[in-house]
PDB file of all heavy atoms in Angstrom:
ATOM      1  N   GLU Q  31      89.422   5.077 172.565  1.00  0.00           N
ATOM      2  CA  GLU Q  31      88.758   4.462 171.420  1.00  0.00           C
ATOM      3  C   GLU Q  31      89.392   4.837 170.093  1.00  0.00           C
ATOM      4  O   GLU Q  31      89.024   4.278 169.075  1.00  0.00           O
ATOM      5  CB  GLU Q  31      87.287   4.881 171.399  1.00  0.00           C
ATOM      6  CG  GLU Q  31      86.496   4.298 172.550  1.00  0.00           C
ATOM      7  CD  GLU Q  31      85.044   4.731 172.507  1.00  0.00           C
ATOM      8  OE1 GLU Q  31      84.713   5.617 171.691  1.00  0.00           O
ATOM      9  OE2 GLU Q  31      84.274   4.180 173.288  1.00  0.00           O
ATOM     10  N   VAL Q  32      90.278   5.786 170.076  1.00  0.00           N
ATOM     11  CA  VAL Q  32      90.843   6.176 168.784  1.00  0.00           C
ATOM     12  C   VAL Q  32      91.873   5.129 168.355  1.00  0.00           C
ATOM     13  O   VAL Q  32      92.441   4.401 169.180  1.00  0.00           O
ATOM     14  CB  VAL Q  32      91.474   7.596 168.791  1.00  0.00           C
ATOM     15  CG1 VAL Q  32      90.433   8.645 169.180  1.00  0.00           C
ATOM     16  CG2 VAL Q  32      92.696   7.653 169.653  1.00  0.00           C
ATOM     17  N   ALA Q  33      92.083   5.097 167.053  1.00  0.00           N
ATOM     18  CA  ALA Q  33      92.971   4.066 166.509  1.00  0.00           C
ATOM     19  C   ALA Q  33      94.355   4.133 167.146  1.00  0.00           C
ATOM     20  O   ALA Q  33      94.972   3.097 167.426  1.00  0.00           O
ATOM     21  CB  ALA Q  33      93.075   4.234 164.990  1.00  0.00           C
ATOM     22  N   LEU Q  36      94.230   2.207 170.425  1.00  0.00           N
ATOM     23  CA  LEU Q  36      94.078   0.756 170.251  1.00  0.00           C
ATOM     24  C   LEU Q  36      95.346   0.148 169.658  1.00  0.00           C
ATOM     25  O   LEU Q  36      95.744  -0.967 169.998  1.00  0.00           O
ATOM     26  CB  LEU Q  36      92.879   0.464 169.348  1.00  0.00           C
ATOM     27  CG  LEU Q  36      91.514   0.746 169.978  1.00  0.00           C
ATOM     28  CD1 LEU Q  36      90.403   0.403 169.008  1.00  0.00           C
ATOM     29  CD2 LEU Q  36      91.346  -0.026 171.285  1.00  0.00           C
ATOM     30  N   GLY Q 175      88.191   2.436 158.910  1.00  0.00           N
ATOM     31  CA  GLY Q 175      87.225   1.343 159.021  1.00  0.00           C
ATOM     32  C   GLY Q 175      87.857  -0.011 159.271  1.00  0.00           C
ATOM     33  O   GLY Q 175      87.155  -1.000 159.472  1.00  0.00           O
ATOM     34  N   GLN Q 176      89.171  -0.080 159.266  1.00  0.00           N
ATOM     35  CA  GLN Q 176      89.819  -1.374 159.533  1.00  0.00           C
ATOM     36  C   GLN Q 176      90.117  -1.540 161.024  1.00  0.00           C
ATOM     37  O   GLN Q 176      90.432  -0.556 161.698  1.00  0.00           O
ATOM     38  CB  GLN Q 176      91.139  -1.466 158.768  1.00  0.00           C
ATOM     39  CG  GLN Q 176      90.952  -1.689 157.286  1.00  0.00           C
ATOM     40  CD  GLN Q 176      92.274  -1.959 156.604  1.00  0.00           C
ATOM     41  OE1 GLN Q 176      93.247  -1.279 156.845  1.00  0.00           O
ATOM     42  NE2 GLN Q 176      92.287  -2.963 155.744  1.00  0.00           N
ATOM     43  N   PRO Q 177      90.054  -2.762 161.513  1.00  0.00           N
ATOM     44  CA  PRO Q 177      90.415  -2.996 162.918  1.00  0.00           C
ATOM     45  C   PRO Q 177      91.933  -2.957 163.069  1.00  0.00           C
ATOM     46  O   PRO Q 177      92.625  -3.897 162.659  1.00  0.00           O
ATOM     47  CB  PRO Q 177      89.867  -4.398 163.187  1.00  0.00           C
ATOM     48  CG  PRO Q 177      89.799  -5.045 161.842  1.00  0.00           C
ATOM     49  CD  PRO Q 177      89.652  -3.977 160.809  1.00  0.00           C
ATOM     50  N   ILE Q 178      92.452  -1.902 163.656  1.00  0.00           N
ATOM     51  CA  ILE Q 178      93.907  -1.732 163.690  1.00  0.00           C
ATOM     52  C   ILE Q 178      94.581  -2.825 164.514  1.00  0.00           C
ATOM     53  O   ILE Q 178      95.717  -3.214 164.252  1.00  0.00           O
ATOM     54  CB  ILE Q 178      94.286  -0.317 164.188  1.00  0.00           C
ATOM     55  CG1 ILE Q 178      95.780  -0.100 163.950  1.00  0.00           C
ATOM     56  CG2 ILE Q 178      93.903  -0.100 165.646  1.00  0.00           C
ATOM     57  CD1 ILE Q 178      96.233   1.326 164.066  1.00  0.00           C
ATOM     58  N   ASP Q 208      91.015   8.945 164.505  1.00  0.00           N
ATOM     59  CA  ASP Q 208      89.585   8.619 164.542  1.00  0.00           C
ATOM     60  C   ASP Q 208      89.301   7.403 165.408  1.00  0.00           C
ATOM     61  O   ASP Q 208      90.168   6.545 165.589  1.00  0.00           O
ATOM     62  CB  ASP Q 208      89.087   8.314 163.128  1.00  0.00           C
ATOM     63  CG  ASP Q 208      88.719   9.583 162.379  1.00  0.00           C
ATOM     64  OD1 ASP Q 208      88.494  10.613 163.046  1.00  0.00           O
ATOM     65  OD2 ASP Q 208      88.680   9.537 161.136  1.00  0.00           O
ATOM     66  N   ALA Q 209      88.043   7.343 165.827  1.00  0.00           N
ATOM     67  CA  ALA Q 209      87.603   6.112 166.485  1.00  0.00           C
ATOM     68  C   ALA Q 209      87.672   4.995 165.463  1.00  0.00           C
ATOM     69  O   ALA Q 209      87.534   5.222 164.258  1.00  0.00           O
ATOM     70  CB  ALA Q 209      86.180   6.287 166.989  1.00  0.00           C
ATOM     71  N   THR Q 210      87.898   3.799 165.942  1.00  0.00           N
ATOM     72  CA  THR Q 210      88.060   2.699 164.983  1.00  0.00           C
ATOM     73  C   THR Q 210      87.237   1.491 165.416  1.00  0.00           C
ATOM     74  O   THR Q 210      86.793   1.410 166.561  1.00  0.00           O
ATOM     75  CB  THR Q 210      89.546   2.317 164.839  1.00  0.00           C
ATOM     76  OG1 THR Q 210      89.681   1.421 163.763  1.00  0.00           O
ATOM     77  CG2 THR Q 210      90.091   1.672 166.083  1.00  0.00           C
ATOM     78  N   VAL Q 211      87.072   0.565 164.487  1.00  0.00           N
ATOM     79  CA  VAL Q 211      86.312  -0.636 164.849  1.00  0.00           C
ATOM     80  C   VAL Q 211      87.228  -1.589 165.607  1.00  0.00           C
ATOM     81  O   VAL Q 211      88.408  -1.715 165.277  1.00  0.00           O
ATOM     82  CB  VAL Q 211      85.751  -1.357 163.598  1.00  0.00           C
ATOM     83  CG1 VAL Q 211      84.683  -0.536 162.932  1.00  0.00           C
ATOM     84  CG2 VAL Q 211      86.864  -1.724 162.618  1.00  0.00           C
ATOM     85  N   PRO Q 212      86.686  -2.258 166.610  1.00  0.00           N
ATOM     86  CA  PRO Q 212      87.528  -3.234 167.328  1.00  0.00           C
ATOM     87  C   PRO Q 212      87.701  -4.497 166.493  1.00  0.00           C
ATOM     88  O   PRO Q 212      86.939  -4.748 165.564  1.00  0.00           O
ATOM     89  CB  PRO Q 212      86.715  -3.525 168.580  1.00  0.00           C
ATOM     90  CG  PRO Q 212      85.313  -3.201 168.223  1.00  0.00           C
ATOM     91  CD  PRO Q 212      85.321  -2.170 167.127  1.00  0.00           C
TER      92      PRO Q 212
END
Side-chain angles (χ1 to χ4, degrees):
E31 292 180 351
V32 301
L36 289 181
Q176 286 188 315
I178 191 166
D208 276 340
T210 190
V211 292

